Amino acid sequence: MNRTKLSILVIVSFLGAVLIALIPSIAPAQTNVHLTMGNPSGAGSSSLNNYLLSKTQYATSHNCSKGIPNWVSWQLNSSWLGSAPRQNNFRADTTLPSGCYQVSTSDYSGSGFDRGHMCPSGDRTDTVTNNSATFLMTNMIPQAPDNNQGIWANLEDYSRDLVTQGKELYIISGGYGSGGTGSNGSASTIASGKVTVPNRTWKVIVVLDSPGNASSVTTSTRVIAVNIPNTQGVRDSDWRSYRVSVDSIENATGYDFLSNVSASTQSVIEARVDNQ
Ligand code: MN
Ligand code: MN
C-alpha cells in the first residue's frame, strides 16, 4: 500500500466514524405508535407534572403532584385483542423518576373509588405481558364505581365492537378538576392527599375505517368525545348523552388533541359532536 492509498483509507475511515457517531442525532426520535395523533400536553422528561411514560402498550403523561395521569393515549385495533386472561395485578409503576410518588394499589383501599383503568384491561388481551401493563397504577384514576362499572365500561365495550367491525381507534382519556363522589361520599383527594380525585372523566376516540391508515384523518373522520361526571348515579346512563366536542375538552383541560392532524381538519372534527 503506497502513501496515497493509505491516506485515502485513513480519511475514509475517519469520515465513516464521524457518520456513525452522527447517525443517532440525525435519525428522528422513535415515535410511540400511541402518540400517532399527537402528544396533547407536550409531555416529556423536564416536568414531574407532565412526565411522559412511553410504553409498548400505551403512552401517558403522569402528574406526580396529583398521583394520576393527565392523560393516557393508546391505539386499538384487532392486533391488540386475543385471549389473554385478565391479570388483576394492580401495582406501583417503578419506572417513575425519583422524586415522583409511586401510587400503590393500597392507596385506593377503602376510599370508595375504583382503581379505574384508562387503557382498559379488555383492550390489551393479545398477550399476558400487555394485559399486565394495564394494571400499573400510572394507568389509573380514582373513578366513582357507578361511572367505572356502568357508563364508562359500556363505552369501552362499544369501542371494542367498532374494532370487531374492522376499525382502528386512537383513544385518549383522563380526568380533570378535583372532587368526585364515590361509594363513601365526596372527596377531592385520597391517600392522605397524594392522589387527586378528578371531578370529570373524559375520553376522545378517533375512529378510522381500517388499520394502518393513521394519516388518513379527514374532515369526515368520526371522532367520539365524552365528558362524564365522576359521581355515583350515572351507572345506567347512556354515554351517548354525554357526548361533547373535542374543542370543549381542549378548553377544559388546556390540552391540544389530534395535534398531528392538520389545523384545518382539526377545526372541523374537533367542533363536531358525534351523533352516530
Ligand atoms: Mn374501568
Ligand atoms: Mn386539537
Side-chain angles (χ1 to χ4, degrees):
M1 191 178 289
N2 62 35
R3 265 180 111 107
T4 311
K5 277 187 178 163
L6 183 64
S7 305
I8 290 171
L9 184 67
V10 166
I11 289 168
V12 166
S13 305
F14 174 75
L15 289 175
V18 167
L19 192 62
I20 287 167
L22 281 175
I23 281 172
S25 56
I26 293 168
Q30 194 78 36
T31 307
N32 186 306
V33 67
H34 308 300
L35 297 177
T36 297
M37 295 295 148
N39 177 334
S41 59
S45 56
S46 59
S47 166
L48 289 180
N49 293 329
N50 186 23
Y51 194 87
L52 181 65
L53 297 174
S54 191
K55 301 182 188 294
T56 304
Q57 299 82 10
Y58 52 88
T60 177
S61 162
H62 192 72
N63 190 312
C64 297
S65 298
K66 294 182 176 177
I68 54 174
N70 296 308
W71 49 261
V72 179
S73 186
W74 66 102
Q75 179 197 58
L76 181 60
N77 58 36
S78 60
S79 77
W80 295 102
L81 303 180
S83 53
R86 182 181 169 96
Q87 296 300 300
N88 259 332
N89 52 347
F90 292 93
R91 62 202 186 282
D93 190 337
T94 57
T95 69
L96 286 168
S98 62
C100 183
Y101 178 69
Q102 292 183 7
V103 176
S104 70
T105 179
S106 61
D107 282 330
Y108 283 53
S109 300
S111 69
F113 291 92
D114 285 356
R115 296 163 297 191
H117 283 72
M118 294 292 90
C119 179
S121 164
D123 283 7
R124 294 291 180 261
T125 53
D126 55 331
T127 66
V128 165
T129 299
N130 288 347
N131 185 262
S132 179
T134 71
F135 288 89
L136 290 167
M137 293 305 291
T138 45
N139 183 40
M140 306 295 163
I141 62 170
Q143 205 170 356
D146 279 0
N147 176 313
N148 177 39
Q149 298 167 25
I151 183 171
W152 195 260
N154 294 340
L155 178 55
E156 291 172 343
D157 288 342
Y158 178 76
S159 302
R160 286 188 291 271
D161 287 346
L162 292 174
V163 169
T164 304
Q165 294 166 25
K167 312 288 191 193
E168 175 170 85
L169 312 183
Y170 288 89
I171 307 173
I172 314 133
S173 78
Y176 71 83
S178 72
T181 306
S183 55
N184 295 344
S186 300
S188 298
T189 62
I190 58 174
S192 310
K194 294 194 201 72
V195 178
T196 294
V197 178
N199 182 250
R200 311 284 302 194
T201 61
W202 56 265
K203 181 174 266 189
V204 173
I205 306 171
V206 177
V207 184
L208 299 177
D209 285 335
S210 58
N213 289 304
S215 58
S216 70
V217 176
T218 68
T219 53
S220 24
T221 296
R222 184 181 185 195
V223 180
I224 304 166
V226 297
N227 185 343
I228 302 172
N230 192 19
T231 59
Q232 295 294 75
V234 294
R235 178 180 290 260
D236 298 322
S237 301
D238 189 347
W239 57 265
R240 292 171 186 81
S241 309
Y242 289 89
R243 285 179 291 190
V244 296
S245 67
V246 172
D247 280 339
S248 72
I249 304 177
E250 289 189 337
N251 289 335
T253 60
Y255 305 145
D256 180 7
F257 301 109
L258 321 184
S259 60
N260 286 349
V261 173
S262 76
S264 57
T265 301
Q266 281 184 67
S267 69
V268 175
I269 62 180
E270 293 182 348
R272 190 165 55 215
V273 179
D274 177 68
N275 62 6
Q276 293 185 43

